[in-house]
Amino acid sequence: MTLKDKLTYRLLHFISRRMRQLSNIARSRFANQLGAFAFNCIPIRKKLAYNNIKTAFPNNSEAWINNVLIGTYRLFFTNFLEFLSLPKSYNSINFHVKNKHILDKAAKQKKGVIIVTGHFGLWEILGSWLGVNGYPIWGIIQRQGNQGADLFFKEMRESYGMNHIYRKSSLDNMYKLFEENNMLIIASDQDAKERGVFVQFFGQQSSTPKGTAIFHMRTGAPMVFSVAHKEKNGTVVISFSSIQLNGDISIETITQAYTKMLETKVREYPDHYFWFHRKWKTKSKA
């Protein structure tokens, strides 16, 4: 690693130790303060996020959109600070889990499980819950350009039982995970450019990764949709849902099915979505 990488690694560990020393209330307050500061003083992708929310909710007022946007900033920092405080803070989180039996039933098929999620809510806390509770969970992770940050995030996730495989790893290695009855969690909601399949998301054509659908079609591994959201009283609610497929089974119909489920969750908790993605950047040529 370069000196910059080593310094990043040490800095992240320092911040992580500090976060573990704070109470849940103090971390939440700090996350809200950071979110407000970023909203007011750091304009990176702020206009993009505003326009994304306006596209998704065209009939809502400017005040409502700004309220959702500042909530998005706050939840982003909540997700990150809670991640940095793991695994020590895990036992202080009040979890409420819905439909755990759906996940357990899928695991009993012995084909592996595809857990489909999105950049919604507390996705890092979702991963920690799966790992701590003994599920053989693997995440597809984007390799960080900074080796220090990459190593830190890898070690943090492994500390609570989350294994990981890099996004550009061999597909054979990914298929082997299913053969060994592992669970692969995939956040399948970013713009996939020309390589993606176009499905409807808030009434807009959205290029979405094909990987989830291809894995399901080639392995027969059951798919389970899952997200984690935070209630006002601090409870983290993790939900599991079966992905219902009707009619012809194709990459498009599978992708549309879980994308619709994600949209339903975003409509319920609009400030929980990571609106900073260039979600509708790629335009359909059809």
Side-chain angles (χ1 to χ4, degrees):
M1 288 193 289
T2 66
L3 177 60
K4 179 182 177 181
D5 295 337
K6 292 177 181 178
L7 289 174
T8 300
Y9 179 77
R10 291 175 182 174
L11 176 61
L12 287 170
H13 266 291
F14 172 77
I15 297 173
S16 179
R17 287 193 297 270
R18 296 286 295 181
M19 289 302 103
R20 291 170 188 167
Q21 293 170 0
L22 298 178
S23 67
N24 282 3
I25 293 175
R27 269 197 312 277
S28 179
R29 186 183 300 119
F30 186 37
N32 287 342
Q33 291 170 346
L34 287 175
F37 174 78
F39 177 82
N40 290 304
C41 303
I42 305 177
I44 299 173
R45 293 201 181 188
K46 181 178 179 179
K47 185 176 181 180
L48 169 67
Y50 179 93
N51 289 336
N52 281 343
I53 299 170
K54 187 174 181 62
T55 297
F57 299 95
N59 298 322
N60 291 67
S61 67
E62 181 177 351
W64 184 91
I65 294 171
N66 276 316
N67 188 53
V68 169
L69 183 54
I70 192 171
T72 301
Y73 276 95
R74 287 170 174 165
L75 200 79
F76 168 77
F77 282 104
T78 296
N79 189 45
F80 186 56
L81 296 189
E82 290 296 339
F83 169 68
L84 290 178
S85 68
L86 292 169
K88 183 178 180 180
S89 65
Y90 179 87
N91 290 330
S92 64
I93 299 174
N94 180 30
F95 286 101
H96 177 58
V97 182
K98 295 182 178 180
N99 298 325
K100 176 177 172 292
H101 68 278
I102 291 177
L103 181 64
D104 293 336
K105 182 179 179 181
K108 289 179 180 178
Q109 295 185 34
K110 302 295 183 182
K111 296 180 180 180
V113 179
I114 304 168
I115 300 178
V116 187
T117 188
H119 291 87
F120 174 94
L122 304 176
W123 63 80
E124 294 288 0
I125 302 302
L126 169 60
S128 72
W129 183 90
L130 290 163
V132 169
N133 283 277
Y135 290 97
I137 188 68
W138 289 73
I140 298 180
I141 307 299
Q142 178 68 44
R143 189 185 296 273
Q144 300 293 315
N146 184 296
Q147 292 183 36
D150 191 71
L151 179 59
F152 173 81
F153 293 135
K154 177 178 181 291
E155 290 177 346
M156 281 292 292
R157 293 184 175 110
E158 288 177 347
S159 73
Y160 54 74
M162 166 76 83
N163 303 291
H164 84 275
I165 188 167
Y166 288 116
R167 181 162 293 176
K168 294 185 179 181
S169 299
S170 166
L171 285 175
D172 289 339
N173 291 337
M174 294 186 187
Y175 283 118
K176 188 176 181 181
L177 294 178
F178 294 115
E179 293 173 3
E180 297 173 348
N181 198 30
N182 288 294
M183 297 179 174
L184 188 64
I185 187 166
I186 306 175
S188 187
D189 62 332
Q190 289 183 290
D191 180 89
K193 302 180 181 179
E194 291 77 13
R195 300 185 302 274
V197 58
F198 283 91
V199 295
Q200 290 284 317
F201 186 65
F202 283 95
Q204 307 292 318
Q205 286 287 301
S206 175
S207 175
T208 307
K210 298 178 181 179
T212 298
I214 293 174
F215 282 141
H216 172 70
M217 295 175 71
R218 292 186 178 177
T219 67
M223 297 181 296
V224 175
F225 179 77
S226 181
V227 292
H229 75 267
K230 190 173 186 178
E231 297 282 9
K232 291 182 179 179
N233 64 4
T235 299
V236 175
V237 180
I238 294 175
S239 59
F240 297 100
S241 305
S242 298
I243 298 176
Q244 301 297 326
L245 303 174
N246 300 310
D248 295 334
I249 305 301
S250 66
I251 290 174
E252 183 175 358
T253 58
I254 293 170
T255 308
Q256 182 65 78
Y258 67 72
T259 299
K260 182 62 178 177
M261 296 174 77
L262 176 61
E263 179 182 325
T264 298
K265 281 293 182 182
V266 176
R267 288 187 181 278
E268 190 174 1
Y269 303 97
D271 61 343
H272 276 49
Y273 194 57
F274 191 74
W275 293 106
F276 302 96
H277 288 158
R278 293 187 173 93
K279 182 64 181 171
W280 293 291
K281 179 180 179 180
T282 305
K283 304 302 181 183
S284 173
K285 296 179 181 179

